[in-house]
């Protein structure tokens, strides 16, 4: 590079040995460009779906076409020219909703930079995207506390709530529901469902009401505290529902309350930590009620508790009725705090009809706090004309333990009563103990079979009474009276009035 300042104060450090070349003549001008027509179109994806001309600035894909002739633009003119102007703001098959920064009037589908404000508006927008089995739509909710917003599920629309909370003080019916319309839907994240209400009517946390619905929910906690509901249910399933949760806690005050219920053909699969139901009215922790088509419940949990029930209609921690089927695997089952009128209270109960109840657990603990009819395990119906015709109850536990506050001949560790068929079976495996003055530990009325396998049945105080109306078959155990019908089978077990632990 030549330099004209060598040896002067303006010396720039150039190589002064190079001589500057002379400037040449100007070159020949190039050919003038041809006139052209420029067209700008927009679309929702890179293949021109939702083609719009002139361009709509709310669509994320643009294409620019140059033509030397006048065009009537169609999508085919722009093939291979589409580019995404939105960058990371575009997420296919997704609707965004943000309770703080969203605006329902300007919300756009597939645009994280244009979220909706309410769950209802986001749902409407998702439906317009025509979800299918191969094109599921996801509604992504920004983490927030969503107050009094009902989640109405829709076919092939899924929800991702992250760590959000759904809080209701006014909603009746299900806070999460299919509204009795068939849907295939998923809820993702670690959602908390918090209901604190004094309104009347039926209060449900989750209510799947259509027999053909297929719903799965991943969540954290479901909590209900209702002071005015007519019926209170944490989960009610009449469709097909799978839930993975932490704790389910339901307080129904003085009304008909259940933490979990399935009926009318519903199938419920529930994996959770603790299930707890409290009420001073009719109470069920987990109820599979065979009203309508036979329902089924499959539960894996840590603890299941029913507390403070106070009604002649019944108080049960786990109950299967009519033609229902239930399988429960858990750590502990508790029945506690029974009120003075809590007749027919049982930790485990197979009722009238032909229900089947299978329970595998560690401990069953019943601690009634009033002089009421209470049981650890019961098969049969008392107090009315309905009788069990073919119920089946299978319990495998480490120990079933009954503690009463005073001498009470109506408290039983195991009670089998009012059975009208030899098809009625109670099969027990474990250790069954009464630890206060209850004369009757096991009673078998009318017909049916009580099978005791590898078990110990003990009354530690005033003695054991086994009332059988039937034939006793003894396989290595000790039993009592032999009468005309019905069967007690003891296989490798001991029945007596002395603690043999």
């Amino acid at each position: 590079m030549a330099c004209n300042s060598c040896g002067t104060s303006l010396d720039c450090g150039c190589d002064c040995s190079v001589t500057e070349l002379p400037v040449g003549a100007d070159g020949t001008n190039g050919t003038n460009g041809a006139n052209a027509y420029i067209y700008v179109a927009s679309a929702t994806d890179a293949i021109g779906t939702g083609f719009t001309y002139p361009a709509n600035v709310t669509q994320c894909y643009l294409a620019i076409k140059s033509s030397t002739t006048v065009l009537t633009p169609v999508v085919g003119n722009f093939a291979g020219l589409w580019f995404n102007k939105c960058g990371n703001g575009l997420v296919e098959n997704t609707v965004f909703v943000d309770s703080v920064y969203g605006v329902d009037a300007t919300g756009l589908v597939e645009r994280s930079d244009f979220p909706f404000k309410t769950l209802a508006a986001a749902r409407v927008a998702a439906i317009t995207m025509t979800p299918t089995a191969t094109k599921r739509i996801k509604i992504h909710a920004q983490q927030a506390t969503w107050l009094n917003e009902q989640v109405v599920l829709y076919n092939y629309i899924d929800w991702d709530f992250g760590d959000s909370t759904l809080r209701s003080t006014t909603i009746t019916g299900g806070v999460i529901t299919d509204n009795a319309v068939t849907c295939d839907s998923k809820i993702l994240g670690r959602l908390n469902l918090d209901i604190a209400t004094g309104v009347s009517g039926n209060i449900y946390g989750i209510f799947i009401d259509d027999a053909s619905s297929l719903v799965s929910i991943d969540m954290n906690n479901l909590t209900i505290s209702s002071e005015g509901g007519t019926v209170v249910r944490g989960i009610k399933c009449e469709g097909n529902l799978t839930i993975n949760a932490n704790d389910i806690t339901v307080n129904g005050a003085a009304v008909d309350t259940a933490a979990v219920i399935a009926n009318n053909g519903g199938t419920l699969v529930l994996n959770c930590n603790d299930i707890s139901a409290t009420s001073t009215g009719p109470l069920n922790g987990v109820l599979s009620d065979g009203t309508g088509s036979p329902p089924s419940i499959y539960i894996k949990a840590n603890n299941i508790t029913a507390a403070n029930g106070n009604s002649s209609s019944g108080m049960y921690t786990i109950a299967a009725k009519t033609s229902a089927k239930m399988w429960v695997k858990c750590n502990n089952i508790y029945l506690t705090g029974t009120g003075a009128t809590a007749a027919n209270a049982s930790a485990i109960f197979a009722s009238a009809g032909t229900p089947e109840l299978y329970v595998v657990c560690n401990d069953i603990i019943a601690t009634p706090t009033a002089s009421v009819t209470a049981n650890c395990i019961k098969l049969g119906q008392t107090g009315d004309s309905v009788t069990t015709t073919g119920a089946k109850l299978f319990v495998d536990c480490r120990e079933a333990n009954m503690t009463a506050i005073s001498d009470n001949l109506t408290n039983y560790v195991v009670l089998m009563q009012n059975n009208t068929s030899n098809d009625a079976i109670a099969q027990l495996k474990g250790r069954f103990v009464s630890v206060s003055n209850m004369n009757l530990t096991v009673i078998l009325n009318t017909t049916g079979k009580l099978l005791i396998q590898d078990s110990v049945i003990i009354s530690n105080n005033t003695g054991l009474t086994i009332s059988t109306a039937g034939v006793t078959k003894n396989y290595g155990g000790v039993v009592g009276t032999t009468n005309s019908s019905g069967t007690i089978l003891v296989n490798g077990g001991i029945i007596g009035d002395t603690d043999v632990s």
Side-chain angles (χ1 to χ4, degrees):
M1 174 178 175
C3 183
N4 295 324
S5 304
C6 293
T8 71
S9 61
L10 298 177
D11 189 341
C12 58
C14 299
D15 185 356
C16 293
S17 66
V18 179
T19 304
E20 181 178 8
L21 296 175
V23 177
D26 291 341
T28 304
N29 292 335
T31 303
N32 291 333
N35 292 328
Y37 298 92
I38 304 298
Y39 301 90
V40 181
S42 64
T44 58
D45 61 27
I47 60 173
T49 303
F51 173 78
T52 304
Y53 177 82
N56 181 341
V57 295
T58 67
Q59 291 181 297
C60 277
Y61 283 84
L62 291 181
I64 301 174
K65 174 71 175 179
S66 173
S67 174
T68 58
T69 60
V70 176
L71 299 176
T72 301
V74 295
V75 65
N77 298 134
F78 298 86
L81 300 176
W82 297 104
F83 64 92
N84 177 10
K85 71 179 180 66
C86 296
N88 293 332
L90 175 67
V91 182
E92 291 186 349
N93 300 331
T94 304
V95 178
F96 293 87
V97 56
D98 189 322
S99 64
V100 177
Y101 299 107
V103 179
D104 286 344
T106 59
L108 298 173
V109 301
E110 300 185 327
R111 296 285 295 273
S112 63
D113 50 343
F114 283 89
F116 293 86
K117 185 176 183 63
T118 64
L119 302 181
R123 176 182 181 271
V124 170
I127 293 172
T128 66
M129 299 172 71
T130 318
T132 67
T134 57
K135 180 191 161 185
R136 301 184 75 97
I137 305 301
K138 180 168 71 175
I139 298 175
H140 179 88
Q142 185 69 19
Q143 181 176 333
T145 296
W146 300 91
L147 180 62
N148 294 325
E149 290 214 51
Q150 188 178 42
V151 175
V152 180
L153 304 176
Y154 191 88
N155 213 19
Y156 306 125
I157 293 179
D158 304 325
W159 298 75
D160 186 351
F161 279 100
D163 292 316
S164 291
T165 296
L166 285 176
R167 179 165 295 155
S168 170
T169 60
T170 62
I171 297 172
T172 57
V175 177
I176 298 174
T177 181
D178 62 359
N179 261 5
V181 177
T182 299
C183 72
D184 178 337
S185 185
K186 301 174 183 178
I187 292 182
L188 310 171
R190 297 161 299 279
L191 176 69
N192 288 295
L193 182 51
D194 183 9
I195 302 173
T197 179
V199 299
S200 60
N202 295 337
I203 308 299
Y204 304 117
I206 300 168
F207 185 14
I208 304 305
D209 195 17
D210 185 90
S212 298
S213 285
L214 180 63
V215 177
S216 67
I217 299 175
D218 292 338
M219 63 183 301
N220 187 24
N221 296 323
L222 188 162
T223 304
I224 298 179
S225 179
S226 174
E227 297 298 330
T230 305
V231 171
V232 179
R233 305 281 187 256
I235 299 167
K236 184 175 181 181
C237 174
E238 296 184 1
N240 302 281
L241 175 61
T242 299
I243 297 179
N244 297 303
N246 187 22
D247 293 343
I248 299 170
T249 305
V250 179
N251 179 5
V255 301
D256 186 356
T257 299
V260 178
I261 184 171
N263 57 7
N264 289 333
T267 298
L268 172 63
V269 179
L270 175 60
N271 299 295
C272 66
N273 183 33
D274 288 350
I275 301 172
S276 177
T278 303
S279 172
T280 55
L283 178 66
N284 294 279
V286 178
L287 171 63
S288 187
D289 186 351
T291 304
S293 301
S296 300
I297 294 182
Y298 304 82
I299 291 182
K300 185 176 181 181
N302 185 22
N303 299 311
I304 305 175
T305 302
N308 300 332
N310 195 27
S311 170
S312 59
S313 298
M315 171 185 174
Y316 309 111
T317 309
I318 298 173
K321 298 183 178 182
T322 317
S323 56
K325 295 184 178 181
M326 190 189 314
W327 292 260
V328 178
K329 184 176 182 180
C330 65
N331 187 18
N332 299 313
I333 299 170
Y334 297 99
L335 176 77
T336 184
T338 53
T341 62
N344 304 319
S346 297
I348 297 175
F349 180 41
S351 180
T354 57
E356 296 181 19
L357 176 55
Y358 304 83
V359 180
V360 177
C361 65
N362 189 18
D363 288 351
I364 306 166
I365 301 172
T367 55
T369 54
S371 183
V372 298
T373 301
N375 316 282
C376 273
I377 301 166
K378 177 182 175 183
L379 185 149
Q381 184 78 12
T382 60
D384 57 36
S385 60
V386 179
T387 56
T388 301
T389 57
K392 294 177 174 59
L393 173 62
F394 302 87
V395 178
D396 185 345
C397 69
R398 186 189 71 88
E399 181 167 298
N401 191 304
M402 167 70 80
T403 302
I405 61 173
S406 62
D407 293 358
N408 191 339
L409 301 185
T410 60
N411 283 327
Y412 307 93
V413 177
V414 181
L415 172 63
M416 197 170 176
Q417 192 170 32
N418 284 3
N419 303 302
T420 60
S421 169
N422 273 320
D423 291 334
I425 298 173
Q427 180 170 317
L428 310 176
K429 182 177 180 181
R431 173 182 167 88
F432 304 90
V433 183
S434 63
V435 293
S436 62
N437 295 342
M438 294 172 289
N439 286 341
L440 300 179
T441 303
V442 180
I443 181 169
L444 173 63
N445 283 351
T446 61
T447 56
K449 298 181 178 69
L450 176 63
L451 290 76
I452 303 168
Q453 180 180 4
D454 299 329
S455 300
V456 177
I457 297 182
I458 302 164
S459 177
N460 280 336
N461 290 284
T462 57
L464 169 74
T465 300
I466 301 175
S467 173
T468 71
V471 176
T472 297
K473 293 186 178 181
N474 180 0
Y475 298 95
V478 179
V479 295
T481 309
T482 299
N483 289 316
S484 58
S485 63
T487 307
I488 292 181
L489 303 179
V490 181
N491 185 5
I494 298 174
I495 300 180
D497 58 4
T498 303
D499 190 339
V500 294
S501 58

